[in-house]
Amino acid sequence: MRDGGRIAAAIEVLTEINERRRPVQEALKDWGNKHRFAGSGDRVAIGNLVFDALRHKLSHAQAMGSDSARALVLATYIWGWGNQVEKLQQVMEEDRHAPEPLSEAEGEALLQNKPVDDGNQISANIPEWLWPHFQDNFGDEALAVGRSLSERAPIDMRVNTLKSSQEKVLKRLSHLRAEVSGLSPVGVRLEPVVGPRKSPHVQAEETFRKGWFELQDEASQIASILSGAQPGEQVLDLCAGGGGKSLALAAQMQNKGQIYAYDAHKIRLAPLYERMARAGVRNIQTIDPQTGSLDICNGKMDRVFVDAPCSGTGVWRRRPDTKWRVTENALNGRIEEQAQVLETATRFVRSGGKLIYATCSLIPAENQLQVKAFLEKHSDFKLVDLAPVWDEHFGVVESRKPLFKDGGTVTLTPHHTGTDGFFIAMMERV
């Protein structure tokens, strides 16, 4: 396929997403199944157009004077990918699979490239109903945070220190231009690709198959490090999901002690077994939510890690379609779930033990306010100031400094720390 056909396909997919509120991956998969002649490069380019259009949906729509799928894709092709309007006009004239030629209004808007600088939610590409939450959390920096969440994300990897080292992984991935991620001492990063290019498939690397590294955003790596888990401890990963943090904690604990991995949804734990084998991890015990019991953990855990279900506002760089699908009812439901899982977690924390609460959200109601409500209800827990813990592990790097709020909780954002958006708090049972 040439660019004209790719643009037309992206418009078709984005129209399907907008009109039927379908997840982007589902819509792209269906398009691919119906158009099997499209090669892998075509599918990547079409997907990139769709994702980038969703990332800048509001600002592109305002500048184009239209929020149609066509307007968003055309704006992405020109402004997002750095192509000239003349090239687009030529593509539309020469490719019979291209969409209709540019209208006079479209051509004028694309040539003007009028910047959207309202200093508000449109410039930030944040849904209007969510904008006050970002203003409450970040004040004058809300716009910068929103813009950083509208960019592409890098590929972050965590070096598995049970099998390798950061230096070795960097050397073996030098052909991909891998770099240290900057904050995590076990982090390796590939900068995001641009335009229609395909991101490297790092899971195909021999070093991945050998278990030398795992895919894990640096923010998640940082959360594991800040938990302070030590070799020999008893740790419960209460919302383990696919086990990314369990694996990070296992390496941090040098395969010593015991990690109990649990998730209320059994299917989410399924990938962990293969990942444990590849990583050489021996100190994780999974607990089946249908047949197993958490009673073995009652009052015995040195640390309980709660990576709570949340709105996912911190990972919009990777999942831009969720930005436009999240609803206020869904957010309220998540807030209730978070309170419930925190309440459940209390029974497992021993005296002097730590309860770590984390989300990939940047909404105060899911983060600081959730912790405040918990502490008001549980006088036997106190908040631990994570600021000195941060300095101990990551030093004082002003250019990548997180926000410390309300007595020492940590908020990470692409703008402040170059990571996904993440919130971390630690409470100690006294």
Side-chain angles (χ1 to χ4, degrees), residues 17-254:
I17 292 168
N18 290 341
E19 292 182 353
R20 297 183 57 189
R21 294 181 62 82
R22 298 187 67 195
V24 63
Q25 294 288 12
E26 182 181 301
L28 285 168
K29 181 179 179 181
D30 282 355
W31 186 92
N33 288 336
K34 294 175 183 175
H35 302 81
R36 295 188 180 276
F37 61 84
S40 61
D42 298 320
R43 298 181 192 212
V44 169
I46 294 163
N48 286 350
L49 274 172
V50 170
F51 274 108
D52 286 345
L54 289 167
R55 289 185 172 100
H56 300 92
K57 180 177 180 178
L58 295 182
S59 58
H60 282 357
Q62 172 121 331
M64 289 292 291
S66 169
D67 63 356
S68 69
R70 175 185 168 96
L72 298 178
V73 172
L74 296 180
T76 300
Y77 185 77
I78 300 298
W79 302 332
W81 289 16
N83 292 303
Q84 298 297 314
V85 176
E86 291 79 5
K87 178 182 177 180
L88 177 58
Q89 290 173 325
Q90 183 179 359
V91 162
M92 293 177 130
E93 290 171 2
E94 296 179 355
D95 188 346
R96 65 186 180 90
H97 298 293
E100 292 294 317
L102 292 178
S103 69
E104 183 176 342
E106 288 173 335
E108 184 177 342
L110 290 169
L111 283 169
Q112 283 185 345
N113 191 11
K114 186 177 181 180
V116 178
D117 191 21
D118 65 342
N120 212 318
Q121 49 97 206
I122 293 176
S123 297
N125 282 289
I126 292 176
E128 185 175 6
W129 74 273
L130 278 172
W131 180 239
H133 295 280
F134 278 80
Q135 289 180 306
D136 289 345
N137 212 10
F138 301 110
D140 292 341
E141 292 187 300
L143 176 58
V145 171
R147 285 176 169 168
S148 70
L149 286 165
S150 299
E151 302 304 317
R152 292 189 186 182
I155 297 175
D156 279 353
M157 295 158 277
R158 177 187 57 80
V159 174
N160 177 19
T161 52
L162 297 175
K163 287 192 171 185
S164 190
S165 67
Q166 190 180 56
E167 182 181 5
K168 290 180 179 179
V169 172
L170 285 170
K171 184 176 181 179
R172 292 294 293 272
L173 297 182
S174 59
H175 61 290
L176 300 178
R177 298 184 181 179
E179 303 173 346
V180 295
S181 53
L183 286 172
S184 169
V186 291
V188 172
R189 169 171 291 181
L190 303 181
E191 290 301 324
V193 298
V194 296
R197 291 173 52 203
K198 182 179 182 179
S199 298
H201 183 50
V202 293
Q203 295 99 318
E205 296 291 323
E206 181 185 12
T207 43
F208 176 80
R209 297 196 301 271
K210 287 183 175 181
W212 285 24
F213 67 85
E214 283 283 341
L215 286 169
Q216 186 178 25
D217 183 79
E218 190 177 27
S220 184
Q221 298 176 39
I222 288 170
S224 300
I225 294 169
L226 288 178
S227 74
Q230 301 295 315
E233 289 188 338
Q234 299 287 301
V235 177
L236 171 61
D237 187 359
L238 190 56
C239 304
K245 287 190 185 65
S246 291
L247 293 168
L249 293 169
Q252 189 171 313
M253 294 165 61
Q254 301 171 21

